[in-house]
Amino acid sequence: MATAPAIPVNPTLTQRLAAMDQGQKLRLALGLALFVAVAIAGLVMGRQAEWRVLYANLNDKDGGAIIAQLSQMNIPYKHADGGNAILVAADKVHDTRLRLASQGLPKGSVAGFELMEANRFGMTQFQERLTFQRGLEGELTRSIQALSSVQSARVHLALPNQNGFFREQQKPSASVLVSLNAGRSLDRSQLAGIVHLVASSVPEMKPEAVSVLDETGKLLSAPADGMNGLAGGADAQQLQYVQQIEQMYRQRVLDILEPVVGRNNVKAQVTAEVDFSQTEQTSESHRPNQTPESGAVRSQQVVESTNTTGSSTPSGVPGATTNQPPGPAAAPVNGPAQTLAAAGGNASSNGSSKRESIINYEVDKTIKVVRAGSGAIKRLSAAVVINHQAVTDAKGKSTAQPLSEQQLAKMTALVRETIGYNQERGDSVNLMNAPFAEDKVVMPDVPFWRQPEVQELSRSLAWPLGTVLLGALVLFGLIRPAMKSVQRPAPARQQLEAVVAEEPDRPQLAAPERRDEPAVPTSGELALADARKLTRENPAAVASIVKTWINGEAAA
């Protein structure tokens, strides 16, 4: 009878791998290689840094210079938005910007006074003036682009060449073209700031000589005549003043009614008619002359004349009366002149004397000049709409009910007192109570898998979960079956001992009784006895063990 070859009790991994066929070895190697590749890919993608925008909206010159510098600094980068933005790792954005700024990058498409640093030897006076003008335009452009509402700007300066004749010198002017960010606009104060910024940067330039346009070609700044081309020739400041008045009265109405009806239950609009016309009235009035005592003498003229004929013999009664001078004239102010006779007697028949006195008094005149103020309110119109009030019954059910006539009258009186109602001026107040229409916002039925937060979570978990699933597939699909084929059945002796160990309650074989000496069985006899007993009690297990031996011998 042939004996079976010896089978190692504990075969090593090398012996198990040597017992595998060529196909099993190939599947095991392929599985291990794929598992290692998946593990490395998972680690690399898990440690990959997040990309952030370093610079955006760069011109080609600055973009090429920045990319060349990033390559020299060994900083990874990539493009986005069709090459319009340069991305770097999130943890290197600030450090990279500082390092590029130390080298003067990006320079930008707008050049300022740094153009003056590149003056060449032999430049003409015209070239120097042109370089200075370009530098000044660049500096103004940078200042205007610093505004939050301005996306880009261009400044054109017209600097005439001054000569020695003061009367023939031309004043400089400027034009500014601004491109605003989406949804942004410039108010009047910002426009005035841009105009005065340009005008103050150029000598002898007046703010009226600066024009500001937007990207659509619309003139934003007011011309020199103060008109901005609006309908009816209205001044922009006047329209702004009207809007401020209307907003002020509207806010007053809301402040007085919102505590009563609720914040979102009242709407109000106020229209103001403002008179901006300027009138000037001059009147001159004259009153009758006053009495001579109270009148102011303007001029006085006295004319005396004497006419004598014949003898010059004095006439009259000699004495003290004749030697007295004539008394004052007793004629009225505006009366005819009186003929004066010689003192002390009648006028001689041969002579005559005449005296005329003219006195001019100041005329009582009043001149009155009245200038009417501009911006007076001619008429106010207020329109107020109030929502129905919500009433809750005893059961807690809320319903909307219209306001009563008394409530509407009280609210109308409040609005009139708030805006300063003047019936003589023609003011009007219209208050209406109506239910407000509720706009129902219909949310689109977006599937769960198309919601933004779900998609973002899926993108963040795609690589980790994909890596784990792929690794599990490789592990359980290739490596585990190959490892199972490597495992060898246990040796027959170990299986026999395992079977024997499963019988803990088996009786011990007793030695044949001898009276003269105790029986001491050997180890071989005990094992043989146990094997015989196992064969009798569990023949199926013994048959399986023998079958395993036979298979092992065949394989060997």
Side-chain angles (χ1 to χ4, degrees):
M1 181 177 179
T3 60
I7 301 175
V9 178
N10 294 320
T12 61
L13 182 60
T14 305
Q15 293 174 352
R16 293 180 180 181
L17 293 177
M20 296 174 59
D21 56 3
Q22 190 68 22
Q24 293 175 346
K25 293 180 180 180
L26 183 60
R27 287 195 298 271
L28 180 60
L30 181 61
L32 291 175
L34 289 178
F35 186 78
V36 172
V38 170
I40 294 175
L43 292 176
V44 172
M45 296 304 299
R47 298 180 59 184
Q48 186 176 5
E50 184 182 0
W51 295 94
R52 295 288 180 86
V53 177
L54 179 64
Y55 292 109
N57 299 325
L58 295 174
N59 54 11
D60 296 338
K61 184 177 181 180
D62 284 343
I66 290 176
I67 289 177
Q69 192 64 32
L70 291 177
S71 300
Q72 294 181 2
M73 293 187 298
N74 296 326
I75 297 178
Y77 66 89
K78 66 178 183 179
H79 300 282
D81 297 338
N84 197 25
I86 300 177
L87 308 181
V88 296
D91 55 346
K92 296 183 179 180
V93 172
H94 301 290
D95 181 67
T96 306
R97 286 179 180 175
L98 293 176
R99 296 174 63 181
L100 292 175
S102 63
Q103 300 179 7
L105 294 175
K107 296 181 179 179
S109 58
V110 179
F113 282 135
E114 59 268 15
L115 293 175
M116 304 297 294
E117 300 176 358
N119 289 339
R120 300 185 306 273
F121 179 76
M123 290 183 61
T124 62
Q125 185 179 5
F126 174 77
Q127 292 176 343
E128 290 181 355
R129 290 182 59 256
L130 184 60
T131 303
F132 172 77
Q133 180 176 344
R134 289 180 56 195
L136 183 57
E137 291 175 350
E139 294 295 333
L140 291 174
T141 301
R142 290 175 179 176
S143 301
I144 296 174
Q145 288 180 353
L147 299 177
S148 58
S149 301
V150 179
Q151 181 180 7
S152 61
R154 294 192 66 183
V155 179
H156 302 277
L157 298 178
L159 305 178
N161 189 13
Q162 303 297 339
N163 51 26
F165 300 96
F166 182 77
R167 295 181 179 180
E168 297 180 0
Q169 290 182 357
Q170 299 179 1
K171 299 297 181 180
S173 60
S175 299
V176 181
L177 177 64
V178 293
S179 177
L180 304 179
N181 293 319
R184 305 297 294 273
S185 61
L186 295 176
D187 55 14
R188 303 300 303 176
S189 60
Q190 290 175 326
L191 286 175
I194 293 176
V195 170
H196 285 275
L197 171 66
V198 177
S200 302
S201 302
V202 181
E204 301 296 332
M205 180 180 289
K206 296 182 179 180
E208 294 81 5
V210 180
S211 302
V212 182
L213 293 82
D214 60 0
E215 63 273 11
T216 61
K218 179 181 178 181
L219 181 62
L220 301 179
S221 61
D225 56 355
M227 315 302 290
N228 60 354
L230 297 175
D235 192 356
Q237 295 182 356
Q238 296 178 359
L239 296 180
Q240 186 178 5
Y241 175 72
V242 174
Q243 293 176 358
Q244 290 177 355
I245 292 179
E246 294 175 350
Q247 181 65 22
M248 178 186 65
Y249 283 111
R250 175 180 174 273
Q251 190 62 37
R252 286 184 180 180
V253 174
L254 294 179
D255 292 341
I256 199 65
L257 292 181
E258 281 182 350
V260 180
V261 299
R263 183 176 180 82
N264 296 323
N265 293 326
V266 57
K267 301 294 181 181
Q269 291 294 335
V270 178
T271 302
E273 184 178 351
V274 183
D275 185 12
F276 291 102
S277 60
Q278 297 180 357
T279 59
E280 182 177 350
Q281 181 181 3
T282 303
S283 61
E284 182 177 352
S285 60
H286 299 270
R287 291 187 298 176
N289 292 335
Q290 304 296 326
T291 59
E293 292 78 9
S294 62
V297 178
R298 182 179 182 181
S299 61
Q300 183 177 3
Q301 182 179 5
V302 177
V303 179
E304 295 182 359
S305 63
T306 303
N307 186 12
T308 59
T309 57
S311 176
S312 59
T313 303
S315 62
V317 179
T321 305
T322 308
N323 298 328
Q324 294 294 328
V333 175
N334 297 326
Q338 300 293 330
T339 303
L340 299 179
N346 295 329
S348 174
S349 59
N350 296 327
S352 65
S353 64
K354 181 178 179 182
R355 182 185 182 194
E356 293 181 358
S357 176
I358 300 175
I359 302 176
N360 294 323
Y361 293 90
E362 289 289 347
V363 179
D364 191 0
K365 180 176 65 173
T366 302
I367 299 176
K368 184 178 181 181
V369 179
V370 179
R371 293 184 177 89
S374 176
I377 298 177
K378 296 174 60 178
R379 186 173 180 271
L380 288 177
S381 300
V384 183
V385 181
I386 300 177
N387 191 14
H388 283 179
Q389 61 180 352
V391 179
T392 304
D393 54 9
K395 297 182 180 180
K397 184 179 180 180
S398 180
T399 57
Q401 296 181 1
L403 299 176
S404 61
E405 295 295 335
Q406 294 79 5
Q407 291 176 331
L408 292 177
K410 293 180 179 179
M411 293 182 181
T412 304
L414 283 177
V415 175
R416 289 180 176 178
E417 294 295 332
T418 302
I419 65 174
Y421 178 81
N422 189 355
Q423 186 176 3
E424 297 178 356
R425 194 171 54 185
D427 297 349
S428 64
V429 175
N430 188 2
L431 191 145
M432 184 180 67
N433 180 221
F436 286 5
E438 297 181 359
D439 297 334
K440 296 182 179 180
V441 180
V442 180
M443 298 298 296
D445 189 8
V446 181
F448 176 77
W449 57 274
R450 295 190 61 182
Q451 295 181 2
E453 56 272 10
V454 176
Q455 292 183 355
E456 185 66 23
L457 181 61
S458 301
R459 293 190 189 97
S460 61
L461 297 179
W463 271 105
L465 292 180
T467 304
V468 172
L469 292 178
L470 186 58
L473 180 62
V474 173
L475 180 62
F476 292 101
L478 295 177
I479 299 178
R480 185 177 179 184
M483 295 300 297
K484 282 186 176 181
S485 63
V486 174
Q487 296 179 357
R488 290 293 184 181
R493 184 178 298 175
Q494 295 179 358
Q495 293 186 6
L496 180 58
E497 292 177 357
V499 173
V500 174
E502 293 176 357
E503 302 293 338
D505 298 333
R506 64 181 182 277
Q508 299 293 332
L509 297 179
E513 297 181 0
R514 292 183 181 180
R515 295 180 178 179
D516 51 355
E517 59 182 5
V520 181
T522 62
S523 59
E525 292 176 352
L526 292 176
L528 182 59
D530 292 340
R532 289 175 180 175
K533 183 178 180 181
L534 181 60
T535 304
R536 290 193 301 267
E537 294 178 357
N538 195 354
V542 177
S544 177
I545 294 172
V546 174
K547 184 179 180 181
T548 303
W549 289 348
I550 296 173
N551 292 336
E553 292 173 358

